[in-house]
């Protein structure tokens, strides 16, 4: 009987293309990915903050200066009667907004701040913290404004002309508030939330009514990255 010997071929070594990743290599890859994601997030925050600063310095301050220039040049507040002035914006009939607002300033020879586009100098487009488009709009109005009364802690409501800032995200509102009056307080200071500005019974500072976790049109925190962030309306009291 003959014995058959079968020679087993040695297993071929795996090539570099067949070799898997080691734990060290996977860890390094994850660290690099994390650094890239972090750098993108930081860059996005820096870009957004730069946009907010432009809104503050060019747009909002530009309209404040335009208002003062109008009063100094005409002797009346925007929209008021030149023959029978009341000292109230638009004669206290309504908000002075949009095309009507721009025409009043242009007729007085006042240069308008740079806005969203030609014919929309009263608006400025920007991105919220989730990267969604938002638009802040400027108007002027006469409103009830709470001021200190005859005793400490007592307040009275008086008519005051204000610049209306509509469509601000909480982050933008807080930044503008801090830069305009030094405190991000919705109740006190030169800039206030519209729902708090005229309250005489509120004697302590309050935060703005919405924050960055809230979705547009809601006051409940959703913390959804894809949601358009909720917005608020603020008033900035004018000198006249």
């Amino acid at each position: 009987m003959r014995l058959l010997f079968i020679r087993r071929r040695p297993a071929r070594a795996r090539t570099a293309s067949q070799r898997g990743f080691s734990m060290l290599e996977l860890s390094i890859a994850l660290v690099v990915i994390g650094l890239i994601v972090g750098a993108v997030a930081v860059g996005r925050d820096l870009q957004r903050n730069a946009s907010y600063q432009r809104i503050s310095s060019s747009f909002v301050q530009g309209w404040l200066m335009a208002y003062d220039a109008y009063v100094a040049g005409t002797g009346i507040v925007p929209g008021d009667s030149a023959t029978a002035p009341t000292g109230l914006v638009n004669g206290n009939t309504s908000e002075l907004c949009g095309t009507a607002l721009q025409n009043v300033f242009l007729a007085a020879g006042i240069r308008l701040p740079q806005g969203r586009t030609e014919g929309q100098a009263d608006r400025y487009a920007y991105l919220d913290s989730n990267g969604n488009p938002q638009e802040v709009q400027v108007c002027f109005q006469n409103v009830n404004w709470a001021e200190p009364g005859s005793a400490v802690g007592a307040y009275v409501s008086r008519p005051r002309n204000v610049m209306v800032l509509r469509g601000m995200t909480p982050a933008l509102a807080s930044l503008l508030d801090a830069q305009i009056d030094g405190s991000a307080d919705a109740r006190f200071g030169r800039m206030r939330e519209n729902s708090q500005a005229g309250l005489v019974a509120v004697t302590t500072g309050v935060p703005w009514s919405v924050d960055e976790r809230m979705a547009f049109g809601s006051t409940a925190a959703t913390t959804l990255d894809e949601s358009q962030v909720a917005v608020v309306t603020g008033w900035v009291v004018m000198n006249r």
Side-chain angles (χ1 to χ4, degrees):
M1 179 182 295
R2 289 192 305 173
L3 298 177
L4 296 177
F5 294 94
I6 300 176
R7 297 181 60 185
R8 300 185 61 183
R9 300 176 63 182
R12 288 190 301 174
R14 287 184 297 176
T15 62
S17 62
Q18 295 173 316
R19 182 166 52 86
F21 292 104
S22 67
M23 290 299 296
L24 178 60
E25 290 170 327
L26 288 174
S27 299
I28 293 174
L30 291 174
V31 169
V32 172
I33 292 173
L35 291 174
I36 294 174
V37 172
V40 170
V42 170
R44 185 178 60 186
D45 290 342
L46 291 174
Q47 184 180 17
R48 184 174 65 253
N49 288 336
S51 174
Y52 289 177
Q53 290 293 340
R54 286 194 299 271
I55 293 174
S56 174
S57 60
S58 300
F59 185 67
V60 174
Q61 293 297 329
W63 274 107
L64 289 173
M65 291 188 293
Y67 181 98
D68 290 341
Y70 183 96
V71 174
T74 64
I76 58 175
V77 296
D80 200 7
S81 171
T83 56
T86 63
L88 311 177
V89 166
N90 222 21
N92 199 27
T93 57
S94 62
E95 281 186 328
L96 185 59
C97 291
T99 302
L101 167 65
Q102 296 175 76
N103 287 341
V104 165
F105 279 76
L106 291 173
I110 305 299
R111 183 177 179 181
L112 301 179
Q114 183 177 0
R116 179 170 184 171
T117 185
E118 184 67 27
Q120 293 187 342
D122 61 322
R123 301 166 184 267
Y124 199 104
Y126 66 102
L127 298 178
D128 61 28
S129 57
N130 288 338
N132 295 312
Q134 300 276 7
E135 182 182 73
V136 60
Q137 180 184 14
V138 161
C139 298
F140 290 95
Q141 186 181 9
N142 186 268
V143 301
N144 291 323
W145 190 266
E147 296 181 350
S150 58
V152 175
Y155 295 89
V156 294
S157 180
R158 296 189 174 98
R160 292 289 181 261
N161 295 320
V162 300
M163 178 171 68
V164 181
L165 291 171
R166 186 179 290 109
M168 298 182 296
T169 62
L172 177 60
S174 296
L175 182 143
L176 294 176
D177 194 4
Q179 292 189 346
I180 289 174
D181 59 31
S183 175
D185 185 341
R187 168 63 182 86
F188 292 104
R190 186 182 180 189
M191 180 175 177
R192 304 175 185 177
E193 189 169 353
N194 62 332
S195 59
Q196 298 287 336
L199 300 181
V200 297
V202 179
T203 59
T204 58
V206 296
W208 290 80
S209 61
V210 298
D211 60 49
E212 293 291 307
R213 303 169 303 162
M214 299 174 183
F216 192 91
S218 173
T219 56
T222 58
T223 322
L224 298 177
D225 292 342
E226 67 273 14
S227 297
Q228 192 176 29
V229 176
V231 295
V232 291
T233 298
W235 289 344
V236 181
V237 69
M238 308 306 293
N239 295 324
R240 282 190 57 183

